[in-house]
Amino acid sequence: MDDFGTELRRRREAAGLSLTDLAQRVRYSKSHLSKIESGAKRPSGPLARSCDVALAADGALTRLVPGRPGPRASAPPPAQAWTVAVDGTDAAAFTPAGVSAYLLGGLTGAGRGASSGDRTGEAEAALPLVRAWFDQLRLLGQTSRPAALGPLLVSTTGFLRELAEASRPPARQQALRLAARIAEYTGWMAQERGNDAAAAWWTDHAVELAVAGGNAELRAYALVRRAELALYRDDALGAVQLAQEARAARCGARTRGLAAQREAQGYALMGDEAGCRRALAEAADLLAQSAGDDDEPALGSTSAPDPMRFATAWSLHDLGRLDESAEILDAELDLLPPTARRARARYAARLALALAGQRQLERAAAVVGPALETVRSVDSATARYDLRQLNRVVRRWRDDEAVRRLMPALTSALRVAPAR
């Protein structure tokens, strides 16, 4: 990271700032910045963004800090399928099984329906019920651990696969498209579990199901999901490139709007405010156009009244506009229903991060305190991403009474629940 340290020193001196001056602006210690400039320490993404803002570097410093590598494209399918074993006492247990054996049959041709009987009538009767069941599963995902929800999602996907393979069009295509949406949501739950490789695999499998069902929309949306994964790795350039690729694909206005949101967040992570605001405006226009343009389950978040506001607040935080970000998040947090526990935890974590960055430590602790137990109970990796940044920020003032009260619960919430 010698390039970063050299560029930081060059820009600091060009701005006429001493190390003490810069330390006061970015709220890192002078000794820490000295080690960064000498190359003795690696800069973090948040530090690089703070320096970009303090030195008006337009993202030049952030671009010198690489994001974490993403999941390998050739990653093997995760062991996230389950079979059910029932013994003589009628006790049942979910047992991990190979995904390829459980879900990955051929998706083209007439399927295996000829040998097992025509189930078209069953599919036509079952699909509305499964759609309603999926809506309930998404609500359950706001209050339950991904590990607990996984078996339900996988078995539902498997049921629809089997039903599709024994049905005639159009029931076959409808079953495959619904299976694709459930598989995509399974990928989101894998991300919340902290397993990016599994999230990428399930998203790719959703594309396979959707294409077989005659709907290529998820092919573009998969790029949006990968852009989101890149953001959580602090890979700003990767997020922008994936989002732009999604926007260039043949897809609906909602998918292009969600892609524009990710592009804006990537620009914010780079420190490019003009690019960020342009992409946010384009996202708002596209999402407004998309209202009611799809009778299938909605892609993206459905728990927040206005996800556009969350993307805006996220971007403003990364641009260093902490007061504006906090104002939006404070208002939006009040609008989330109490049942949206996972979403409330994410909003509260980012709001606390914005407040702590302004040294409003008492208020940050009050906001995030109730969310910490939620993060533990629902096992939210995305909320922990912000909590890790919050932990780094508040430790600079570890002698503050509010910070001392907060630290035990914050440390506990950052512990990843063991796999079961």
Side-chain angles (χ1 to χ4, degrees), residues 79-80 82 145-151 186-196 198-199 342 378-382 384 416-420:
Q80 285 200 358
W82 285 262
R145 288 177 173 267
L149 201 62
T186 306
W188 163 241
M189 286 289 99
Q191 182 182 349
E192 278 290 79
R193 185 90 182 271
N195 190 337
D196 286 0
R342 189 178 298 277
V378 303
D379 190 21
S380 174
T382 53
R384 283 196 298 269
V416 180
R420 296 177 184 176

Side-chain angles (χ1 to χ4, degrees), residues 267-291:
Y267 281 133
L269 206 55
M270 290 181 186
D272 182 351
E273 183 167 353
C276 172
R277 291 190 181 277
R278 182 180 63 250
L280 284 173
E282 292 168 354
D285 288 343
L286 287 164
L287 292 174
Q289 295 172 25
S290 72

Side-chain angles (χ1 to χ4, degrees), residues 57-420:
D58 294 327
L61 291 168
T62 300
R63 287 191 284 274
L64 292 174
V65 181
R68 289 180 286 120
R72 293 179 300 169
S74 59
Q80 285 200 358
W82 285 262
T83 55
V84 181
V86 182
D87 62 23
T89 64
D90 292 332
F94 282 103
T95 306
V99 169
S100 58
Y102 187 66
L103 286 178
L104 297 183
L107 286 173
T108 57
R112 295 192 295 271
S115 59
S116 59
D118 187 351
R119 300 174 65 185
T120 303
E122 179 186 348
E124 291 171 345
L127 285 173
L129 300 176
V130 178
R131 165 65 189 272
W133 167 238
F134 179 43
D135 291 340
Q136 295 303 308
L137 288 176
R138 293 178 81 160
L139 292 175
L140 192 59
Q142 284 291 323
T143 59
S144 303
R145 288 177 173 267
L149 201 62
L152 299 175
L153 292 166
V154 174
S155 61
T156 304
T157 305
F159 169 74
L160 288 169
R161 281 286 311 270
E162 292 178 5
L163 201 60
E165 291 174 357
S167 300
R168 299 187 307 272
R172 170 184 164 81
Q173 283 72 26
Q174 292 167 353
L176 287 170
R177 290 199 296 270
L178 182 54
R181 292 296 177 93
I182 298 174
E184 186 277 323
Y185 184 72
T186 306
W188 163 241
M189 286 289 99
Q191 182 182 349
E192 278 290 79
R193 185 90 182 271
N195 190 337
D196 286 0
W201 186 87
W202 276 105
T203 302
D204 289 344
H205 184 54
V207 173
E208 182 186 21
L209 289 165
V211 171
N215 185 350
E217 185 77 11
L218 270 176
R219 194 187 300 279
Y221 186 72
L223 296 168
V224 178
R225 289 286 293 116
R226 287 186 176 274
E228 182 175 17
L229 291 170
L231 288 171
Y232 282 102
R233 296 193 306 272
D234 292 324
D235 180 5
L237 182 59
V240 169
Q241 290 173 337
L242 286 163
Q244 289 175 341
E245 189 177 345
R247 293 182 66 183
R250 296 183 62 182
C251 57
R254 180 170 178 81
T255 299
R256 286 185 286 122
L258 294 172
Q261 282 185 349
R262 303 297 168 263
E263 184 178 350
Q265 291 168 286
Y267 281 133
L269 206 55
M270 290 181 186
D272 182 351
E273 183 167 353
C276 172
R277 291 190 181 277
R278 182 180 63 250
L280 284 173
E282 292 168 354
D285 288 343
L286 287 164
L287 292 174
Q289 295 172 25
S290 72
D293 68 353
D294 191 352
D295 60 358
E296 296 186 11
L299 290 167
S301 173
T302 58
S303 57
D306 188 356
M308 189 69 227
R309 296 273 288 169
F310 182 64
T312 300
W314 173 307
S315 300
L316 289 171
H317 174 274
D318 287 343
L319 288 170
R321 300 189 176 278
L322 305 184
D323 53 343
E324 296 177 58
S325 176
E327 182 179 358
I328 294 173
L329 288 168
D330 195 20
E332 291 302 302
L333 182 58
D334 287 341
L335 296 177
L336 287 172
T339 53
R341 298 182 68 217
R342 189 178 298 277
R344 290 184 66 85
R346 295 178 67 207
Y347 277 56
R350 185 145 282 249
L351 172 57
L353 180 59
L355 292 170
Q358 301 173 78
R359 205 169 179 175
Q360 297 184 38
L361 302 176
E362 190 74 45
R363 189 178 167 204
V367 165
V368 81
L372 297 178
E373 175 55 36
T374 299
V375 173
R376 287 192 293 268
S377 64
V378 303
D379 190 21
S380 174
T382 53
R384 283 196 298 269
Y385 170 87
D386 283 331
L387 292 181
R388 282 191 292 271
Q389 295 188 63
L390 178 65
N391 183 53
R392 288 193 292 267
V393 171
V394 299
R395 281 185 180 276
R396 302 174 204 161
W397 302 291
R398 55 173 60 91
D399 292 334
D400 185 274
E401 177 61 27
V403 174
R404 286 203 301 269
R405 292 195 309 269
L406 175 65
M407 288 312 299
L410 178 56
T411 302
S412 177
L414 287 171
R415 294 195 187 102
V416 180
R420 296 177 184 176

